[in-house]
Amino acid sequence: VSGASAGQSAERRDVELREGGITRGPTSGRRLAVVFTGHGFAEGGEVILNELGKHKGKGSFFLTGDFLTNTRFKPLVQRIVREGHYLGPHSDKHVLYCLWEGPKKTLITHAEFRADLESNLGKIERFGIPRRQIRYFLPPYEYYNQEIVDWAKELGLTLVNYTPGTRSNADYTGEAEKNFVSSQAIFDSIVAREKKDPNGLNGFLLLLHIGSGPDRRDKFPAWFGELLDTLAGKGYQFVRVDELLERNTPR
C-alpha cells in the first residue's frame, strides 16, 4: 500500500481517529450516522427501517457474510438496499482480529483476513451493490488495530468504528450478563452526551445492533423511534456513513 493511501484518513483534520480507524466525522453540521451491525440476529430490522423511513433518514448497515446468506434475513437486506441505506462489510464469519488482553496482537494472517473480507464483499455485491460503492468497513466486535486498518486499506476500504461516549453499543447485552445495560440507560446516555458535548452529536457514528437475540428481552429498537424523534427535534439529520464522511466528494 502506498504512503499516500495509507495516510489518507490521517491527513483529514475534520475526522477523529482511534488506532487509525475513523471514529467521528465532521462536527461542522448537525448530521450523524446511525450504524448497525448484524451477524446472527435481526429481530429489530423492520422497526429500525420503519422509523428511519418516518424521519426520512438513512442508516448504515454493516453485515457479516453469515447474515447476508441467511435466507430468513434476505427480504430485510433487500429492503435495506431498496430504501437507499448504506450496506457494508462486517467480516464474513465475525472473526476476532486481535487479542482482548494486553497488546493488541493480530490473531489472523494477512491472507486469512483478505479471504474473509473478500468473501463478505462478494456477498454484498450479490445484492446489487457495485464494489466501487463499498468503501467503508466496520470490524467485528468493533475491535481492531492499526494492522487491520492498513490491510483494509489495501482492499480499498476505510475502517470506521463507533464514536465513544454513549452506551449505545451495549444494546446487545442480555439481562443475565454482568455487563447488561438497559434500554432506558442507553437512551439516557445518548441524550446526556448530546447535552454535554460542545458539538452535540455532530459527526457521530452512533452504533446499534440490528438484533440482540433471545437473551435480551429489553429490546432497544422499541426505543429507536423516540430517539429519532428527540434528535430530529434538536435539528439533527440522519445520513449514511459515506454521506457523513464524504460531503465534499462528488458521488
Side-chain angles (χ1 to χ4, degrees), residues 159-203:
L159 189 146
V160 295
N161 202 11
Y162 66 87
T163 309
T166 80
R167 304 308 312 277
S168 72
N169 58 308
D171 67 336
Y172 71 93
T173 55
E175 278 83 352
E177 297 176 60
K178 282 183 188 162
N179 62 343
F180 173 73
V181 181
S182 72
S183 292
Q184 176 81 62
I186 289 167
F187 183 94
D188 291 347
S189 77
I190 297 166
V191 172
R193 176 65 193 258
E194 197 279 331
K195 282 183 183 156
K196 191 175 92 172
D197 191 308
N199 292 309
L201 298 181
N202 295 1

Side-chain angles (χ1 to χ4, degrees), residues 194-212:
E194 197 279 331
K195 282 183 183 156
K196 191 175 92 172
D197 191 308
N199 292 309
L201 298 181
N202 295 1
F204 242 67
L205 296 162
L206 188 70
L207 184 130
L208 297 162
H209 293 82
I210 198 166
S212 55

Side-chain angles (χ1 to χ4, degrees), residues 36 42 45-46 48-49 52 58-63 67-68 73-88 127 129 210 240:
F36 301 88
E46 295 295 332
I48 287 164
L49 290 175
L52 284 168
K58 297 296 182 209
S60 301
F61 295 82
F62 292 91
L63 307 175
F67 188 105
L68 293 162
F73 302 158
K74 187 177 180 182
L76 185 66
V77 180
Q78 289 171 328
R79 185 178 167 193
I80 287 168
V81 173
R82 187 171 65 246
E83 295 183 2
H85 302 286
Y86 184 84
L87 181 59
F127 281 92
I129 307 291
I210 198 166
R240 289 164 45 130

Side-chain angles (χ1 to χ4, degrees), residues 2-231:
S2 73
S5 61
Q8 198 170 20
S9 56
E11 289 161 15
R12 293 189 56 172
R13 301 272 179 248
D14 59 347
V15 299
E16 288 178 17
L17 300 170
R18 181 174 283 198
E19 292 178 282
I22 295 177
T23 55
R24 190 168 186 171
T27 57
S28 52
R30 285 178 99 68
R31 294 150 49 91
L32 64 105
V34 191
V35 300
F36 301 88
T37 61
H39 176 51
F41 305 108
E43 75 276 7
E46 295 295 332
V47 170
I48 287 164
L49 290 175
N50 291 345
E51 293 298 342
L52 284 168
K54 276 184 206 168
H55 289 84
K56 297 184 168 50
K58 297 296 182 209
S60 301
F61 295 82
F62 292 91
L63 307 175
T64 64
D66 286 352
F67 188 105
L68 293 162
T69 51
N70 187 321
T71 52
R72 288 179 298 130
F73 302 158
K74 187 177 180 182
L76 185 66
V77 180
Q78 289 171 328
R79 185 178 167 193
I80 287 168
V81 173
R82 187 171 65 246
E83 295 183 2
H85 302 286
Y86 184 84
L87 181 59
H90 191 49
S91 94
D92 195 50
K93 298 293 181 190
H94 210 255
V95 182
L96 180 64
Y97 290 146
C98 39
L99 288 173
W100 285 118
E101 305 297 332
K104 283 187 166 180
K105 180 180 181 298
T106 307
L107 295 172
I108 60 167
T109 67
H110 188 190
E112 286 167 342
F113 172 84
R114 198 176 184 102
D116 176 82
L117 202 46
E118 287 279 11
S119 182
N120 193 181
L121 290 165
K123 289 167 185 174
I124 293 172
E125 287 180 283
R126 283 180 218 159
F127 281 92
I129 307 291
R131 178 69 179 266
R132 68 180 180 280
Q133 287 180 17
I134 311 169
R135 297 190 292 277
Y136 296 91
F137 163 55
L138 205 151
Y141 303 101
E142 295 75 66
Y143 202 66
Y144 63 98
N145 59 20
Q146 181 69 53
E147 189 165 37
I148 296 297
V149 171
D150 293 340
W151 289 353
K153 279 205 184 95
E154 291 174 14
L155 293 172
L157 296 168
T158 298
L159 189 146
V160 295
N161 202 11
Y162 66 87
T163 309
T166 80
R167 304 308 312 277
S168 72
N169 58 308
D171 67 336
Y172 71 93
T173 55
E175 278 83 352
E177 297 176 60
K178 282 183 188 162
N179 62 343
F180 173 73
V181 181
S182 72
S183 292
Q184 176 81 62
I186 289 167
F187 183 94
D188 291 347
S189 77
I190 297 166
V191 172
R193 176 65 193 258
E194 197 279 331
K195 282 183 183 156
K196 191 175 92 172
D197 191 308
N199 292 309
L201 298 181
N202 295 1
F204 242 67
L205 296 162
L206 188 70
L207 184 130
L208 297 162
H209 293 82
I210 198 166
S212 55
D215 292 341
R216 183 184 178 101
R217 293 183 301 280
D218 176 18
K219 308 283 189 185
F220 192 74
W223 292 69
F224 186 57
E226 188 182 344
L227 177 66
L228 295 188
D229 288 345
T230 302
L231 297 180

